[in-house]
Amino acid sequence: MKEGKSSLYPNDAISEAVTNYSEAHSLDLPKPLLDYHEHIFNNVPNSHLTISTFQAQGLIFLARLIGAKRVLEVGVFLGFSSLAWSHAVGDSGTVTGLEFSADYASQAEAAFAAQGRRNITLHVGDGLETLPALNPDEPYDIVFIDAQKSGYPAYLRAVLDSSRPDSPRRLLRKGGLIIGDNALRRGLVADDSEANPHRPSAPPGEDYPNKHNDVMKVREFNDLVKSSDRLEAFLMPLWDGLNLARLVD
Ligand SMILES: C[S@@+](CC[C@H](N)C(=O)[O-])C[C@H]1O[C@@H](n2cnc3c(N)ncnc32)[C@H](O)[C@@H]1O
């Protein structure tokens, strides 16, 4: 039987060449979006929080594949991925973003204005409160979860609870996608043994409790997706892991 494992390339140099080649042979991103990504990476210390341009290409492709016009993003940071969704859905579509930090939200809004993107609305606050309070006229086509990892299971439950098939108003449409970013957390979700060099330094390492808890919560999220008979999933081992879950009812 053919092996399914995805360590396709012999070393880091070839992996990088393959990524660059794939990026160059995928859909084009608008120049302002590329420039904004470069600006973030050259000027912002925690720029790693932003998705890559290659991931943006993948998300735009997915959105267009399902004809998405309405996207909900949980975790906006400086607005790069919101801008990618905004481009994906076009001027006739809308993007709603939930962001905890008022500072990040205002920087993101400045970027939206600078790029003339008027179809993005942000709600500032804890997504665990702002998400369940949403009551959209029309359901979303995509919910992209990219906020605190400890909240992933709760976000998933809230989306499912607010998208019942018998409900007159629902958050996510039938056939819509819930996309969980960082679903593999540098491989730790699948294997956080000593064999994984990204394993958080064991206690008493300062970062251990939070990082370990994040891994447990992302595992819980992936398990909930898999065990729900309302979802059909493909956990894509690309980037930091992307859990693609389609709402079947
Ligand atoms: C990984 S970053 C998002 C990156 C963004 N999606 C992008 O690719 O450009 C995670 C964001 O989630 C936000 N966040 C953390 N906890 C949150 C919460 N409880 N509610 C809403 N946003 C939260 C953080 O402030 C941060 O901006």
Side-chain angles (χ1 to χ4, degrees), residues 200-242:
S201 47
E206 267 176 38
D207 61 349
Y208 184 81
N210 284 344
K211 288 195 171 168
H212 181 66
N213 187 50
D214 284 355
V215 170
M216 303 297 283
K217 286 295 184 180
V218 175
R219 271 188 197 146
E220 186 183 335
F221 172 85
N222 292 333
D223 289 345
L224 280 171
V225 168
K226 175 67 184 170
S227 62
S228 170
D229 57 9
R230 301 181 60 203
L231 296 170
E232 190 171 67
F234 184 66
L235 207 173
M236 200 162 68
L238 194 54
W239 308 302
D240 197 28
L242 203 63

mmCIF file of all heavy atoms in Angstrom, residues 200-242:
data_model
loop_
_atom_site.group_PDB
_atom_site.id
_atom_site.type_symbol
_atom_site.label_atom_id
_atom_site.label_comp_id
_atom_site.label_asym_id
_atom_site.label_seq_id
_atom_site.Cartn_x
_atom_site.Cartn_y
_atom_site.Cartn_z
ATOM 1 N N PRO A 200 7.533 21.839 24.378
ATOM 2 C CA PRO A 200 7.856 22.919 25.314
ATOM 3 C C PRO A 200 8.736 22.378 26.431
ATOM 4 O O PRO A 200 8.563 21.232 26.840
ATOM 5 C CB PRO A 200 6.494 23.376 25.846
ATOM 6 C CG PRO A 200 5.508 22.344 25.439
ATOM 7 C CD PRO A 200 6.098 21.536 24.324
ATOM 8 N N SER A 201 9.663 23.245 26.899
ATOM 9 C CA SER A 201 10.586 22.774 27.925
ATOM 10 C C SER A 201 9.780 22.282 29.120
ATOM 11 O O SER A 201 8.878 22.973 29.598
ATOM 12 C CB SER A 201 11.543 23.888 28.328
ATOM 13 O OG SER A 201 10.816 25.064 28.547
ATOM 14 N N ALA A 202 10.113 21.105 29.550
ATOM 15 C CA ALA A 202 9.318 20.429 30.588
ATOM 16 C C ALA A 202 9.335 21.229 31.879
ATOM 17 O O ALA A 202 10.208 22.059 32.079
ATOM 18 C CB ALA A 202 9.900 19.048 30.822
ATOM 19 N N PRO A 203 8.360 21.006 32.768
ATOM 20 C CA PRO A 203 8.340 21.738 34.023
ATOM 21 C C PRO A 203 9.717 21.645 34.679
ATOM 22 O O PRO A 203 10.336 20.607 34.596
ATOM 23 C CB PRO A 203 7.305 20.987 34.866
ATOM 24 C CG PRO A 203 6.506 20.199 33.896
ATOM 25 C CD PRO A 203 7.360 19.961 32.694
ATOM 26 N N PRO A 204 10.237 22.708 35.269
ATOM 27 C CA PRO A 204 9.549 23.955 35.576
ATOM 28 C C PRO A 204 9.705 25.027 34.494
ATOM 29 O O PRO A 204 9.666 26.208 34.839
ATOM 30 C CB PRO A 204 10.225 24.375 36.875
ATOM 31 C CG PRO A 204 11.647 23.901 36.702
ATOM 32 C CD PRO A 204 11.587 22.663 35.858
ATOM 33 N N GLY A 205 9.892 24.680 33.225
ATOM 34 C CA GLY A 205 9.982 25.688 32.160
ATOM 35 C C GLY A 205 8.786 26.621 32.239
ATOM 36 O O GLY A 205 7.643 26.156 32.328
ATOM 37 N N GLU A 206 9.042 27.955 32.184
ATOM 38 C CA GLU A 206 7.977 28.942 32.420
ATOM 39 C C GLU A 206 6.825 28.815 31.442
ATOM 40 O O GLU A 206 5.667 29.025 31.774
ATOM 41 C CB GLU A 206 8.556 30.353 32.252
ATOM 42 C CG GLU A 206 9.027 30.945 33.538
ATOM 43 C CD GLU A 206 9.668 32.293 33.297
ATOM 44 O OE1 GLU A 206 9.152 33.029 32.440
ATOM 45 O OE2 GLU A 206 10.672 32.568 33.969
ATOM 46 N N ASP A 207 7.163 28.470 30.195
ATOM 47 C CA ASP A 207 6.132 28.435 29.157
ATOM 48 C C ASP A 207 5.373 27.117 29.149
ATOM 49 O O ASP A 207 4.433 26.944 28.405
ATOM 50 C CB ASP A 207 6.776 28.671 27.790
ATOM 51 C CG ASP A 207 7.809 27.604 27.454
ATOM 52 O OD1 ASP A 207 8.171 26.811 28.358
ATOM 53 O OD2 ASP A 207 8.240 27.560 26.298
ATOM 54 N N TYR A 208 5.814 26.164 29.977
ATOM 55 C CA TYR A 208 5.260 24.814 29.846
ATOM 56 C C TYR A 208 3.746 24.729 30.052
ATOM 57 O O TYR A 208 3.044 24.195 29.183
ATOM 58 C CB TYR A 208 5.977 23.847 30.788
ATOM 59 C CG TYR A 208 5.506 22.433 30.602
ATOM 60 C CD1 TYR A 208 5.999 21.652 29.571
ATOM 61 C CD2 TYR A 208 4.522 21.899 31.432
ATOM 62 C CE1 TYR A 208 5.538 20.364 29.370
ATOM 63 C CE2 TYR A 208 4.065 20.607 31.241
ATOM 64 C CZ TYR A 208 4.578 19.847 30.208
ATOM 65 O OH TYR A 208 4.111 18.588 30.002
ATOM 66 N N PRO A 209 3.198 25.272 31.165
ATOM 67 C CA PRO A 209 1.765 25.027 31.403
ATOM 68 C C PRO A 209 0.890 25.540 30.266
ATOM 69 O O PRO A 209 0.002 24.833 29.798
ATOM 70 C CB PRO A 209 1.477 25.782 32.705
ATOM 71 C CG PRO A 209 2.807 25.939 33.356
ATOM 72 C CD PRO A 209 3.804 26.046 32.249
ATOM 73 N N ASN A 210 1.160 26.778 29.796
ATOM 74 C CA ASN A 210 0.309 27.326 28.731
ATOM 75 C C ASN A 210 0.466 26.557 27.439
ATOM 76 O O ASN A 210 -0.518 26.218 26.774
ATOM 77 C CB ASN A 210 0.660 28.794 28.465
ATOM 78 C CG ASN A 210 0.094 29.675 29.552
ATOM 79 O OD1 ASN A 210 -0.777 29.240 30.305
ATOM 80 N ND2 ASN A 210 0.601 30.883 29.656
ATOM 81 N N LYS A 211 1.716 26.297 27.076
ATOM 82 C CA LYS A 211 1.935 25.613 25.798
ATOM 83 C C LYS A 211 1.373 24.203 25.842
ATOM 84 O O LYS A 211 0.806 23.725 24.864
ATOM 85 C CB LYS A 211 3.427 25.593 25.461
ATOM 86 C CG LYS A 211 3.921 26.969 25.049
ATOM 87 C CD LYS A 211 5.257 26.927 24.378
ATOM 88 C CE LYS A 211 5.576 28.296 23.801
ATOM 89 N NZ LYS A 211 6.953 28.427 23.372
ATOM 90 N N HIS A 212 1.541 23.544 26.982
ATOM 91 C CA HIS A 212 1.001 22.188 27.107
ATOM 92 C C HIS A 212 -0.528 22.238 27.045
ATOM 93 O O HIS A 212 -1.153 21.433 26.347
ATOM 94 C CB HIS A 212 1.477 21.573 28.422
ATOM 95 C CG HIS A 212 0.986 20.184 28.627
ATOM 96 N ND1 HIS A 212 1.370 19.133 27.819
ATOM 97 C CD2 HIS A 212 0.112 19.662 29.524
ATOM 98 C CE1 HIS A 212 0.757 18.026 28.208
ATOM 99 N NE2 HIS A 212 -0.016 18.324 29.245
ATOM 100 N N ASN A 213 -1.107 23.216 27.730
ATOM 101 C CA ASN A 213 -2.565 23.351 27.712
ATOM 102 C C ASN A 213 -3.072 23.622 26.286
ATOM 103 O O ASN A 213 -4.095 23.088 25.863
ATOM 104 C CB ASN A 213 -2.999 24.478 28.648
ATOM 105 C CG ASN A 213 -4.511 24.540 28.775
ATOM 106 O OD1 ASN A 213 -5.160 23.531 29.035
ATOM 107 N ND2 ASN A 213 -5.096 25.715 28.557
ATOM 108 N N ASP A 214 -2.339 24.458 25.543
ATOM 109 C CA ASP A 214 -2.735 24.740 24.160
ATOM 110 C C ASP A 214 -2.782 23.453 23.332
ATOM 111 O O ASP A 214 -3.722 23.230 22.564
ATOM 112 C CB ASP A 214 -1.733 25.703 23.496
ATOM 113 C CG ASP A 214 -1.927 27.137 23.973
ATOM 114 O OD1 ASP A 214 -2.882 27.390 24.734
ATOM 115 O OD2 ASP A 214 -1.108 27.993 23.584
ATOM 116 N N VAL A 215 -1.768 22.624 23.513
ATOM 117 C CA VAL A 215 -1.730 21.362 22.758
ATOM 118 C C VAL A 215 -2.941 20.505 23.130
ATOM 119 O O VAL A 215 -3.629 19.944 22.261
ATOM 120 C CB VAL A 215 -0.407 20.608 23.027
ATOM 121 C CG1 VAL A 215 -0.450 19.193 22.456
ATOM 122 C CG2 VAL A 215 0.769 21.385 22.428
ATOM 123 N N MET A 216 -3.234 20.443 24.431
ATOM 124 C CA MET A 216 -4.379 19.629 24.878
ATOM 125 C C MET A 216 -5.688 20.166 24.295
ATOM 126 O O MET A 216 -6.567 19.412 23.889
ATOM 127 C CB MET A 216 -4.489 19.640 26.412
ATOM 128 C CG MET A 216 -3.265 19.161 27.144
ATOM 129 S SD MET A 216 -2.891 17.450 26.786
ATOM 130 C CE MET A 216 -4.108 16.660 27.799
ATOM 131 N N LYS A 217 -5.812 21.506 24.264
ATOM 132 C CA LYS A 217 -7.061 22.113 23.777
ATOM 133 C C LYS A 217 -7.212 21.940 22.264
ATOM 134 O O LYS A 217 -8.325 21.749 21.768
ATOM 135 C CB LYS A 217 -7.106 23.601 24.150
ATOM 136 C CG LYS A 217 -7.373 23.820 25.628
ATOM 137 C CD LYS A 217 -8.763 23.319 25.986
ATOM 138 C CE LYS A 217 -9.142 23.583 27.415
ATOM 139 N NZ LYS A 217 -10.497 23.102 27.758
ATOM 140 N N VAL A 218 -6.102 22.021 21.542
ATOM 141 C CA VAL A 218 -6.202 21.803 20.091
ATOM 142 C C VAL A 218 -6.543 20.338 19.810
ATOM 143 O O VAL A 218 -7.346 20.040 18.925
ATOM 144 C CB VAL A 218 -4.912 22.252 19.365
ATOM 145 C CG1 VAL A 218 -4.985 21.898 17.884
ATOM 146 C CG2 VAL A 218 -4.714 23.754 19.523
ATOM 147 N N ARG A 219 -5.963 19.439 20.620
ATOM 148 C CA ARG A 219 -6.344 18.020 20.477
ATOM 149 C C ARG A 219 -7.844 17.856 20.726
ATOM 150 O O ARG A 219 -8.530 17.134 20.001
ATOM 151 C CB ARG A 219 -5.604 17.167 21.503
ATOM 152 C CG ARG A 219 -4.293 16.691 21.013
ATOM 153 C CD ARG A 219 -3.697 15.692 22.013
ATOM 154 N NE ARG A 219 -2.291 15.566 21.718
ATOM 155 C CZ ARG A 219 -1.346 15.366 22.625
ATOM 156 N NH1 ARG A 219 -1.663 15.234 23.893
ATOM 157 N NH2 ARG A 219 -0.094 15.275 22.259
ATOM 158 N N GLU A 220 -8.330 18.519 21.780
ATOM 159 C CA GLU A 220 -9.764 18.416 22.103
ATOM 160 C C GLU A 220 -10.605 18.924 20.929
ATOM 161 O O GLU A 220 -11.612 18.317 20.556
ATOM 162 C CB GLU A 220 -10.057 19.236 23.374
ATOM 163 C CG GLU A 220 -11.463 19.101 23.894
ATOM 164 C CD GLU A 220 -11.709 19.991 25.126
ATOM 165 O OE1 GLU A 220 -10.745 20.335 25.850
ATOM 166 O OE2 GLU A 220 -12.884 20.357 25.338
ATOM 167 N N PHE A 221 -10.159 20.030 20.336
ATOM 168 C CA PHE A 221 -10.854 20.595 19.171
ATOM 169 C C PHE A 221 -10.886 19.568 18.031
ATOM 170 O O PHE A 221 -11.947 19.284 17.457
ATOM 171 C CB PHE A 221 -10.130 21.876 18.738
ATOM 172 C CG PHE A 221 -10.614 22.467 17.441
ATOM 173 C CD1 PHE A 221 -11.708 23.326 17.412
ATOM 174 C CD2 PHE A 221 -9.962 22.193 16.241
ATOM 175 C CE1 PHE A 221 -12.141 23.883 16.214
ATOM 176 C CE2 PHE A 221 -10.392 22.741 15.041
ATOM 177 C CZ PHE A 221 -11.484 23.596 15.027
ATOM 178 N N ASN A 222 -9.716 19.014 17.702
ATOM 179 C CA ASN A 222 -9.660 18.053 16.595
ATOM 180 C C ASN A 222 -10.528 16.827 16.887
ATOM 181 O O ASN A 222 -11.192 16.299 15.984
ATOM 182 C CB ASN A 222 -8.217 17.613 16.341
ATOM 183 C CG ASN A 222 -7.348 18.737 15.786
ATOM 184 O OD1 ASN A 222 -7.839 19.651 15.136
ATOM 185 N ND2 ASN A 222 -6.047 18.665 16.035
ATOM 186 N N ASP A 223 -10.531 16.394 18.159
ATOM 187 C CA ASP A 223 -11.341 15.225 18.532
ATOM 188 C C ASP A 223 -12.830 15.543 18.424
ATOM 189 O O ASP A 223 -13.629 14.708 17.984
ATOM 190 C CB ASP A 223 -11.020 14.777 19.966
ATOM 191 C CG ASP A 223 -9.638 14.132 20.070
ATOM 192 O OD1 ASP A 223 -9.060 13.786 19.021
ATOM 193 O OD2 ASP A 223 -9.133 13.996 21.207
ATOM 194 N N LEU A 224 -13.204 16.754 18.840
ATOM 195 C CA LEU A 224 -14.620 17.149 18.732
ATOM 196 C C LEU A 224 -15.062 17.180 17.270
ATOM 197 O O LEU A 224 -16.164 16.731 16.935
ATOM 198 C CB LEU A 224 -14.822 18.553 19.333
ATOM 199 C CG LEU A 224 -14.927 18.654 20.851
ATOM 200 C CD1 LEU A 224 -14.890 20.125 21.284
ATOM 201 C CD2 LEU A 224 -16.224 17.999 21.329
ATOM 202 N N VAL A 225 -14.199 17.740 16.425
ATOM 203 C CA VAL A 225 -14.531 17.782 14.995
ATOM 204 C C VAL A 225 -14.745 16.362 14.484
ATOM 205 O O VAL A 225 -15.737 16.056 13.832
ATOM 206 C CB VAL A 225 -13.405 18.486 14.185
ATOM 207 C CG1 VAL A 225 -13.595 18.268 12.700
ATOM 208 C CG2 VAL A 225 -13.359 19.980 14.501
ATOM 209 N N LYS A 226 -13.783 15.505 14.799
ATOM 210 C CA LYS A 226 -13.833 14.135 14.270
ATOM 211 C C LYS A 226 -15.050 13.377 14.776
ATOM 212 O O LYS A 226 -15.662 12.589 14.043
ATOM 213 C CB LYS A 226 -12.542 13.403 14.679
ATOM 214 C CG LYS A 226 -12.482 11.938 14.303
ATOM 215 C CD LYS A 226 -12.416 11.728 12.806
ATOM 216 C CE LYS A 226 -12.446 10.237 12.461
ATOM 217 N NZ LYS A 226 -12.619 10.016 11.040
ATOM 218 N N SER A 227 -15.426 13.612 16.051
ATOM 219 C CA SER A 227 -16.506 12.804 16.629
ATOM 220 C C SER A 227 -17.895 13.373 16.335
ATOM 221 O O SER A 227 -18.897 12.715 16.625
ATOM 222 C CB SER A 227 -16.308 12.663 18.139
ATOM 223 O OG SER A 227 -16.376 13.945 18.726
ATOM 224 N N SER A 228 -17.963 14.583 15.772
ATOM 225 C CA SER A 228 -19.284 15.152 15.510
ATOM 226 C C SER A 228 -19.885 14.564 14.236
ATOM 227 O O SER A 228 -19.250 14.587 13.178
ATOM 228 C CB SER A 228 -19.173 16.683 15.355
ATOM 229 O OG SER A 228 -20.408 17.189 14.882
ATOM 230 N N ASP A 229 -21.115 14.077 14.361
ATOM 231 C CA ASP A 229 -21.733 13.553 13.137
ATOM 232 C C ASP A 229 -22.302 14.685 12.272
ATOM 233 O O ASP A 229 -22.891 14.438 11.230
ATOM 234 C CB ASP A 229 -22.788 12.481 13.446
ATOM 235 C CG ASP A 229 -23.875 13.004 14.365
ATOM 236 O OD1 ASP A 229 -23.906 14.240 14.620
ATOM 237 O OD2 ASP A 229 -24.695 12.200 14.844
ATOM 238 N N ARG A 230 -22.091 15.928 12.712
ATOM 239 C CA ARG A 230 -22.539 17.074 11.906
ATOM 240 C C ARG A 230 -21.402 17.626 11.037
ATOM 241 O O ARG A 230 -21.624 18.548 10.250
ATOM 242 C CB ARG A 230 -23.068 18.185 12.829
ATOM 243 C CG ARG A 230 -24.230 17.726 13.711
ATOM 244 C CD ARG A 230 -24.732 18.858 14.588
ATOM 245 N NE ARG A 230 -25.203 19.959 13.795
ATOM 246 C CZ ARG A 230 -25.289 21.232 14.222
ATOM 247 N NH1 ARG A 230 -24.911 21.525 15.445
ATOM 248 N NH2 ARG A 230 -25.740 22.169 13.436
ATOM 249 N N LEU A 231 -20.212 17.083 11.246
ATOM 250 C CA LEU A 231 -19.047 17.614 10.531
ATOM 251 C C LEU A 231 -18.331 16.514 9.752
ATOM 252 O O LEU A 231 -18.261 15.368 10.215
ATOM 253 C CB LEU A 231 -18.052 18.235 11.521
ATOM 254 C CG LEU A 231 -18.541 19.444 12.306
ATOM 255 C CD1 LEU A 231 -17.542 19.803 13.410
ATOM 256 C CD2 LEU A 231 -18.748 20.649 11.382
ATOM 257 N N GLU A 232 -17.789 16.914 8.615
ATOM 258 C CA GLU A 232 -16.923 16.013 7.855
ATOM 259 C C GLU A 232 -15.600 16.754 7.680
ATOM 260 O O GLU A 232 -15.594 17.897 7.199
ATOM 261 C CB GLU A 232 -17.549 15.722 6.499
ATOM 262 C CG GLU A 232 -16.866 14.642 5.729
ATOM 263 C CD GLU A 232 -17.676 14.265 4.507
ATOM 264 O OE1 GLU A 232 -17.802 15.113 3.595
ATOM 265 O OE2 GLU A 232 -18.193 13.138 4.459
ATOM 266 N N ALA A 233 -14.494 16.126 8.089
ATOM 267 C CA ALA A 233 -13.244 16.902 8.186
ATOM 268 C C ALA A 233 -12.117 16.355 7.336
ATOM 269 O O ALA A 233 -12.054 15.158 7.031
ATOM 270 C CB ALA A 233 -12.788 16.927 9.646
ATOM 271 N N PHE A 234 -11.224 17.275 6.987
ATOM 272 C CA PHE A 234 -9.934 16.889 6.431
ATOM 273 C C PHE A 234 -8.871 17.696 7.176
ATOM 274 O O PHE A 234 -8.863 18.930 7.074
ATOM 275 C CB PHE A 234 -9.867 17.155 4.923
ATOM 276 C CG PHE A 234 -8.585 16.677 4.303
ATOM 277 C CD1 PHE A 234 -8.299 15.324 4.248
ATOM 278 C CD2 PHE A 234 -7.651 17.565 3.808
ATOM 279 C CE1 PHE A 234 -7.103 14.862 3.705
ATOM 280 C CE2 PHE A 234 -6.451 17.111 3.262
ATOM 281 C CZ PHE A 234 -6.180 15.761 3.207
ATOM 282 N N LEU A 235 -8.046 17.005 7.944
ATOM 283 C CA LEU A 235 -6.999 17.715 8.697
ATOM 284 C C LEU A 235 -5.760 17.770 7.801
ATOM 285 O O LEU A 235 -5.116 16.753 7.565
ATOM 286 C CB LEU A 235 -6.710 16.993 10.019
ATOM 287 C CG LEU A 235 -6.180 17.890 11.141
ATOM 288 C CD1 LEU A 235 -6.088 17.129 12.454
ATOM 289 C CD2 LEU A 235 -4.871 18.545 10.842
ATOM 290 N N MET A 236 -5.488 18.952 7.316
ATOM 291 C CA MET A 236 -4.453 19.116 6.302
ATOM 292 C C MET A 236 -3.103 19.404 6.973
ATOM 293 O O MET A 236 -2.946 20.421 7.644
ATOM 294 C CB MET A 236 -4.856 20.275 5.386
ATOM 295 C CG MET A 236 -4.162 20.233 4.073
ATOM 296 S SD MET A 236 -4.996 21.245 2.854
ATOM 297 C CE MET A 236 -4.720 22.859 3.472
ATOM 298 N N PRO A 237 -2.116 18.517 6.780
ATOM 299 C CA PRO A 237 -0.817 18.719 7.440
ATOM 300 C C PRO A 237 0.070 19.702 6.678
ATOM 301 O O PRO A 237 1.189 19.403 6.297
ATOM 302 C CB PRO A 237 -0.219 17.298 7.449
ATOM 303 C CG PRO A 237 -0.823 16.630 6.270
ATOM 304 C CD PRO A 237 -2.174 17.250 6.030
ATOM 305 N N LEU A 238 -0.468 20.884 6.448
ATOM 306 C CA LEU A 238 0.248 21.933 5.724
ATOM 307 C C LEU A 238 0.336 23.129 6.655
ATOM 308 O O LEU A 238 -0.543 23.327 7.491
ATOM 309 C CB LEU A 238 -0.551 22.262 4.455
ATOM 310 C CG LEU A 238 0.119 23.081 3.356
ATOM 311 C CD1 LEU A 238 1.435 22.478 2.904
ATOM 312 C CD2 LEU A 238 -0.817 23.186 2.153
ATOM 313 N N TRP A 239 1.390 23.937 6.487
ATOM 314 C CA TRP A 239 1.658 25.058 7.401
ATOM 315 C C TRP A 239 1.712 24.525 8.837
ATOM 316 O O TRP A 239 2.411 23.561 9.090
ATOM 317 C CB TRP A 239 0.624 26.171 7.194
ATOM 318 C CG TRP A 239 0.555 26.543 5.740
ATOM 319 C CD1 TRP A 239 1.599 26.979 4.973
ATOM 320 C CD2 TRP A 239 -0.581 26.439 4.864
ATOM 321 N NE1 TRP A 239 1.166 27.162 3.676
ATOM 322 C CE2 TRP A 239 -0.155 26.853 3.582
ATOM 323 C CE3 TRP A 239 -1.907 26.055 5.053
ATOM 324 C CZ2 TRP A 239 -1.012 26.881 2.486
ATOM 325 C CZ3 TRP A 239 -2.759 26.087 3.960
ATOM 326 C CH2 TRP A 239 -2.310 26.494 2.703
ATOM 327 N N ASP A 240 0.944 25.091 9.766
ATOM 328 C CA ASP A 240 0.971 24.584 11.134
ATOM 329 C C ASP A 240 -0.202 23.635 11.380
ATOM 330 O O ASP A 240 -0.593 23.385 12.501
ATOM 331 C CB ASP A 240 0.925 25.778 12.108
ATOM 332 C CG ASP A 240 1.358 25.393 13.508
ATOM 333 O OD1 ASP A 240 2.152 24.445 13.657
ATOM 334 O OD2 ASP A 240 0.883 26.024 14.459
ATOM 335 N N GLY A 241 -0.764 23.136 10.287
ATOM 336 C CA GLY A 241 -1.924 22.257 10.377
ATOM 337 C C GLY A 241 -3.201 23.051 10.219
ATOM 338 O O GLY A 241 -3.408 24.067 10.899
ATOM 339 N N LEU A 242 -4.033 22.619 9.279
ATOM 340 C CA LEU A 242 -5.282 23.330 9.021
ATOM 341 C C LEU A 242 -6.404 22.305 9.090
ATOM 342 O O LEU A 242 -6.437 21.369 8.282
ATOM 343 C CB LEU A 242 -5.210 23.947 7.609
ATOM 344 C CG LEU A 242 -6.090 25.140 7.306
ATOM 345 C CD1 LEU A 242 -5.731 26.328 8.181
ATOM 346 C CD2 LEU A 242 -5.944 25.518 5.832
#
